[in-house]
Every structure is written in C-alpha cells, then in structure tokens.
Amino acid sequence: MALKFNGTDVPQSGEVRFNNTALAAVKMGATEVWKRQKTVYPGAPVANTQNLGYGPYFTVTNNGSDIKVDAFGGTERGWGRVILGPFSSVGYSKLYFSALRAYITNAFSKIAVSLGDINGNWVQRLIYHDTGESLGGYDVTFGSGDLFTINSANSNYYLILEVDSGATARGLNATIQMNGCYLI
C-alpha cells in the first residue's frame, strides 16, 4: 500500500521519517496505512547450495541481483537447491517476488520455492509444480501482484529455490530465475 502525503506518493520501498527516525509503518489511529517493505533478495546471501543429483546437470548463476537455478535432464537426473538467507519475517505477513519465472520443459520434473531452514527442510511451500509423466509445458512468472501469505513468522527463515529435472537423453530442464523477493 502506497502512502500519499502532502501530494507526494511514498512507495513501500521508500522511507517515511519522523524526528529523524525511519519508520517501519505509519498508522492513522489504529489503522495501518503504510508499511515499509523489507528486501530479502537482493540482500540475503546464498547460505547453502545442495547438488542432490548428477553434478554436471545442476547449475547456479548469481550476480547479486538476479539468480538462476537450473537442472538439466541428461543421462542422469539433475536436482539441486539454493538456500538464501537467513532473514526474519517477524512483523511481516506477506511475501512477493518482483519477477520469478519458473519453467519446466521435461517430464518427471519439479520446481519448488519454499520457506525453510539452512538444511533445505521446508516449513511452507510457496510454489510447487510436478510435471509427472507429461512432457513439461510449465512456464509461469510470478510478480508483485502475486502475494503469498506467510503462515508463521520466524526470525531465522531461509528462501529455498529447488529444481529437479528427470533423466532423459534430450537435455531438457527445470529452471527458476528470480530478481527480487520482498516482505510486506
């Protein structure tokens, strides 16, 4: 929710200051009318990368503002996860991505985006798709209009990006590409 003050729009990514102190939220009476968003990524570092399948068939590219997690189905299964964090969701109830694209072109493949711990154990699945025997065909982009409710606040969450591509000799893939994750 953007705040309009003296004719000026203050976006959630902006800053409201009172007596030289940056505020996290602005209330009118008992009603919250503005809340500053918190950036998870970029910002949260890669805390753990787990290659769970055949080594050459799992790759991660991270330039600090855009991360791509890719698993290829070759003669073996490509499977792995990247764990970003830690971060605290205390005081926040929703999460959104500025742009997260998840796509699968292979059968017997999965993608998942979850909140969890440093070991890759998920507490809450935000996004999950399993192609089963069908030949992929999953391609979805999540943006700022797609809000995910955080089931329980945690001061030590990690964002888990997981891709799993089945073994086919055709080199098809399961990919997650993200360039922003925010709490509101």
Side-chain angles (χ1 to χ4, degrees), residues 2-145:
L3 174 69
K4 190 167 197 129
F5 185 73
N6 289 338
T8 302
D9 287 325
V10 181
Q12 287 179 288
S13 60
E15 186 174 79
V16 173
R17 297 183 76 76
F18 181 73
N19 289 337
N20 264 351
T21 301
L23 302 177
V26 175
K27 292 184 177 185
M28 181 141 191
T31 304
E32 187 175 88
V33 295
W34 179 85
K35 185 171 189 171
R36 184 173 182 169
Q37 74 184 14
K38 178 180 178 179
T39 302
V40 174
Y41 183 88
V46 173
N48 196 356
T49 301
Q50 298 173 326
N51 189 338
L52 306 165
Y54 182 63
Y57 294 157
F58 171 70
T59 62
V60 177
T61 308
N62 180 18
N63 66 14
S65 62
D66 188 77
I67 189 165
K68 183 177 181 182
V69 184
D70 213 357
F72 303 89
T75 55
E76 301 291 332
R77 174 182 180 198
W79 177 26
R81 63 177 70 109
V82 172
I83 302 168
L84 301 169
F87 63 92
S88 174
S89 66
V90 173
Y92 297 91
S93 61
K94 305 239 184 253
L95 177 144
Y96 76 90
F97 303 98
S98 60
L100 181 142
R101 181 178 178 213
Y103 60 95
I104 303 172
T105 59
N106 204 357
F108 302 104
S109 300
K110 302 176 193 81
I111 61 98
V113 178
S114 309
L115 296 175
D117 67 20
I118 187 65
N119 297 315
N121 301 308
W122 59 273
V123 174
Q124 180 182 347
R125 283 270 163 102
L126 304 171
I127 300 166
Y128 179 78
H129 187 79
D130 183 343
T131 60
E133 292 183 30
S134 67
L135 185 57
Y138 182 77
D139 189 348
V140 177
T141 300
F142 299 90
S144 60

Side-chain angles (χ1 to χ4, degrees), residues 137-162:
Y138 182 77
D139 189 348
V140 177
T141 300
F142 299 90
S144 60
D146 300 303
L147 296 177
F148 298 88
T149 299
I150 298 171
N151 291 342
S152 61
N154 189 318
S155 62
N156 199 32
Y157 262 143
Y158 291 83
L159 184 67
I160 304 167
L161 309 174
E162 184 172 345

